[in-house]
Amino acid sequence: ASSVLTQGDLATLYEGRRSRDGARVVIKIADDSADNDLMQAEVSALRILRAESSPQLKHLPVVLDQLQTRDGRLGTVLEFLDGLDLVQVRERRPRGLPAHHLIWIMRRCLSVLGWAHARGVLHGNLDPAHILIRAQDHNVWVLDWCYAIVNPARTGQGFRVLNEEYSPPEVAARKPPLPSSDLFSLGRCMIYLLGGDPQTGELPRDAETGLALDERLQRFLKFFVLDSALGRAQDAWEAYRFLDRLRQQIWGPHRFIELVL
């Protein structure tokens, strides 16, 4: 028995139980067999990303199995992840999250993108529904790799989807995908998470203090969402290290601050 968890862009996600131990799983089934290639793209991308062990694996979905429906649609069985996506987070915190929580969420996303980009994999469609957080232990998952692009410079593969609100300008312009394309989308997701406007890049006051965001953090976020693919942030690992230094400068030594949603 399974119940519908959510309806995605191209697939419906059901919750199920694994017969041998009753563990919760997610069964993701394409709504149309025409999208089977995208379902397969996700499994292939995750296979590349999980080919060797690393701390980043705890931020990625786990594929358990694949299936095909009687009418030929592909399905993927994934481990159940107990978290809230950033859309749900904003529903609970309409004014946005305090900036100090943005730091751990963005760092983990940058580390996943750094790991993926080093392996030639671009996410290709990062938006708030594809970033999941678990408040109690600050884990973050980057989900939905259906639109992933592998080694675009070598394969000539282009973007697979235009996401009006979160895609960088080079998607509509049909230019080649670059690592900085994912960073643009991540920047927009983070502006949204803070309670800002992802399309204008307008940043709100800090949801906790009511004060303007620290100018260094504002500059950092604006660097991600520049229109120019070569003018904006390029390297996820470099941005990860910079964000670490920024946190130290603004808030001092690292400490775990509980997030209640």
Side-chain angles (χ1 to χ4, degrees), residues 2 5 7 19 25 47 51 74 88 93 95 107 139 159 186 204:
S2 53
L5 277 175
Q7 180 69 51
S19 51
V25 295
R47 200 171 284 143
L74 275 188
Q88 295 166 315
R93 292 283 193 99
R95 288 179 50 229
R107 278 180 80 243
N139 199 13
F159 291 103
L186 177 63

Side-chain angles (χ1 to χ4, degrees), residues 72-83:
R73 292 172 294 137
L74 275 188
T76 310
V77 183
L78 299 143
E79 256 179 27
F80 184 87
L81 302 176
D82 185 21

